[in-house]
Amino acid sequence: EVYLDITCIESPTHFERFKRRQEVFRSVFREVKSRLEVQYQAQGALAFDAYIHLLKAFAAKVPGNALTGFQATCIGLFTLQIGHFRMKPTQSIALSLFEGFLRFCYSFYQDSPRQGATYRQCAIDLSFGGRWMPRMSTCWRSEVYFMQAEVKMNTRPDERMNVAHSLDPARVSSEAQVLLTRAFQPQGGFDFSQGLFGAAHAANAAAAAAPAPAVSVAGQ
């Protein structure tokens, strides 16, 4: 089955803003992929593609449309920007990146009081290499922006596009915790025998299955 998202935009102003936001997203996407390719050569590019498939597969498994594929992709790009992953020699590059994404979602979106950045205090900005910002609006449960586009377009705060407008933090955190517990073994491996993502997604991840170097990646 193939699912398509169709956006209808009647206002020329809104359509122009939509295009500019898409341009910034594509720029961030290419930049993050390029960094992995520089660091790990061809394996990095393959791992990035497999990682994106895993992000979208995870979003599709989150009930109630609590996380869209685009939202998962944006958050996944941000975790790479800030270096929220650790390479393990027991699993592929793509799975190391994906584990970092799941741990970020579990921690950042959980409701229980904790130290460090959480969705209640911080908004995510994928511009300028990825950064934290103070929450901008209490109308949303969480916030993710491409502020570079918003600043260039001189949009008012209430006109800015919050990528995470429909994201359900509690559900995302819970589903990430479940998948971490179910799929990632104590040794740091990933168990595809559970059939979590289906054969197609397993094959994509396997394309980057060369052992990852045992290197910890720090933030920017």
Side-chain angles (χ1 to χ4, degrees):
E1 295 183 354
V2 176
Y3 296 91
L4 298 176
D5 291 329
I6 299 177
T7 302
C8 299
I9 304 174
E10 297 181 357
S11 166
T13 299
H14 291 165
F15 181 65
E16 184 62 28
R17 290 175 179 175
F18 173 80
K19 288 197 301 181
R20 293 195 180 186
R21 289 165 180 144
Q22 286 294 307
E23 289 169 1
V24 173
F25 165 75
R26 287 193 289 267
S27 176
V28 170
F29 191 92
R30 289 192 298 266
E31 178 187 347
V32 174
K33 181 174 183 177
S34 176
R35 286 174 52 190
L36 278 180
E37 191 168 8
V38 167
Q39 188 169 4
Y40 299 111
Q41 290 77 50
Q43 288 184 10
L46 289 172
F48 180 84
D49 292 341
Y51 174 61
I52 297 300
H53 278 287
L54 290 171
L55 296 177
K56 293 180 178 179
F58 172 69
K61 291 293 185 180
V62 176
N65 200 32
L67 179 70
T68 69
F70 183 66
Q71 289 168 344
T73 299
C74 289
I75 296 168
L77 291 175
F78 180 72
T79 62
L80 299 191
Q81 286 179 319
I82 65 173
H84 195 279
F85 59 91
R86 182 166 62 88
M87 292 300 178
K88 297 180 178 180
T90 56
Q91 60 192 31
S92 69
I93 298 172
L95 294 180
S96 295
L97 302 180
F98 185 57
E99 182 180 359
F101 163 81
L102 291 176
R103 295 193 183 282
F104 175 87
C105 288
Y106 166 62
S107 176
F108 182 69
Y109 289 113
Q110 65 176 302
D111 281 324
S112 57
R114 55 177 293 275
Q115 293 182 342
T118 71
Y119 76 95
R120 294 186 181 277
Q121 293 84 33
C122 298
I124 291 173
D125 178 20
L126 283 90
S127 306
F128 311 108
R131 61 178 184 170
W132 301 108
M133 298 191 308
R135 285 295 304 264
M136 303 177 63
S137 172
T138 57
C139 296
W140 310 110
R141 287 177 289 185
S142 64
E143 295 176 284
V144 176
Y145 296 98
F146 290 94
M147 284 303 297
Q148 181 179 358
E150 306 300 339
V151 169
K152 285 185 177 180
M153 295 185 294
N154 199 29
T155 54
R156 300 194 311 265
D158 62 316
E159 295 176 328
R160 292 168 181 167
M161 176 62 189
N162 174 22
V163 174
H165 63 94
S166 63
L167 188 149
D168 184 340
R171 180 62 64 86
V172 171
S173 177
S174 175
E175 292 297 320
Q177 181 185 27
V178 168
L179 187 50
L180 279 167
T181 302
R182 180 182 177 186
F184 284 87
Q185 307 305 309
Q187 300 93 331
F190 191 82
D191 184 6
F192 275 118
S193 66
Q194 301 293 336
L196 296 173
F197 303 111
H201 296 293
N204 277 297
V215 177
S216 296
V217 180
Q220 302 302 308

